[in-house]
Amino acid sequence: MTALIIDTDPGVDDAFAIALACSSPEVDLLGVTTVFGNVGLAMTTRNALRVLALYGREDVPVAAGADRPLVYPHPHRARHVHGDDGLSDRSNLLPERRTGVAGTDAVSLMASLLEQAAEPVTIVPIGPLTNIALLLAAHPAVRTKIARIVIMGGALDGGNVTATAEFNIWSDPEAARRVLVEEEVPTVLVPMDLTHRCAVDAEWLDKLAASGPRGRLLVELTSTYREHYSRALGRDGTVIHDAVAMTEAVHPGLLTPTSLPLEVECGHGPSRGMVIADRRGTAARERSGSDGGREVAVATDADLDAVRAFLLARLGS
Ligand code: RIB
Ligand code: CA
C-alpha cells in the first residue's frame, strides 16, 4: 500500500487526480488538504469534499490551508480554465459530502497524519506549494516521515501562464523555491512539458463517459476545461496535468525521471515563477563552478499510451 496525502486546488484536473487515488487499490488515502489556486480556497475546499463524496470517501479528513501565497499578493486564479466554481460550473452535479472539513488547518492535519503514520507517506501537491513550504518550515521533524513528494508543476520549455512559468509555481514562487531548491526531501517534479504530451482526446473522454456513472460525471466536469485546451492546443486535446502526476505517485514506472538541479526565479521580472533546470550535465556544471546542489527527479518522458491507458482503466473502473 502507498499512503498518500493530496494537497490540491480543485480544479478539473485535480478532480481527476483525486478520483484516480480513490480508484486505486494500492492507495491508502490518509488525507486531503486544500490550497488557493485555480479558484479561491473556499471553492477548492468545497470541490475536494464533493469529489471525495462522489467516491463515497466520507472517511478521508479534509482541511483547508493557505488562501494566499507566502510573501506577495497574487490575486490571479484560473476561472477561465476551470470555470467560476473550479469544475466547469458543474460542481452542483456532484454530491455534497456529509462529513465537512476537519477541525484543523491543512498544515496541522498533514503534520499529525505524518507523525501518526506507521510508514513514510507520499505527499502529492497538485496546486501552489504554499502548504508544503509551511509544513516543512513549521514541522521540520516530519521530513523523515515523508517517503517522497510528487509535484505537478513547472515548465522547462515554455510556460502556460507566462512565457516561462507554469501556474502552480507562478502562483507562489517563493514556496516553490523552498520545496524544490532548499529542501532535501526526495522529490519528483512532473512538469507541464510532459503532462501536455499526455493529453487525452475526445475518443478517450467518450470511453470514460461510457464506463459508468462516475466516469460520466468526471467528463461532465470537463466542459469549460476542454474548450480552453482545445483552443490552447489548437487541436482536440485535454491536458489532465494532475492525473499524470498522480499516476507517478500511484503506479511508479510509467514516467521516466531525470535527476536535475533546479532553481526557481523569484524576482519580479518577466520570468517570475520560472523553473530553471540545469541540463548541462555534471561535468559541465562542475567546470562552470556550479556547486551541483540538490537534484530533483524531473519526469521528462513517459510511455504516453501506457499512461493514457492506465488512467482510462483506473478512472473507468
Ligand atoms: O498548470 C497546471 C496546474 O495548475 C494544474 O495543477 C492545474 O490544476 C492548476 O492548478
Ligand atoms: Ca491543480
Side-chain angles (χ1 to χ4, degrees), residues 9 11 13-14 38 82 126-128 152 160 166-168 225 229 241-242:
D9 64 332
D13 58 325
D14 302 71
N38 289 315
H82 296 264
I126 48 179
M152 191 281 138
N160 52 11
E166 175 278 328
F167 180 84
N168 287 339
Y225 195 74
Y229 274 100
H241 304 273
D242 296 337

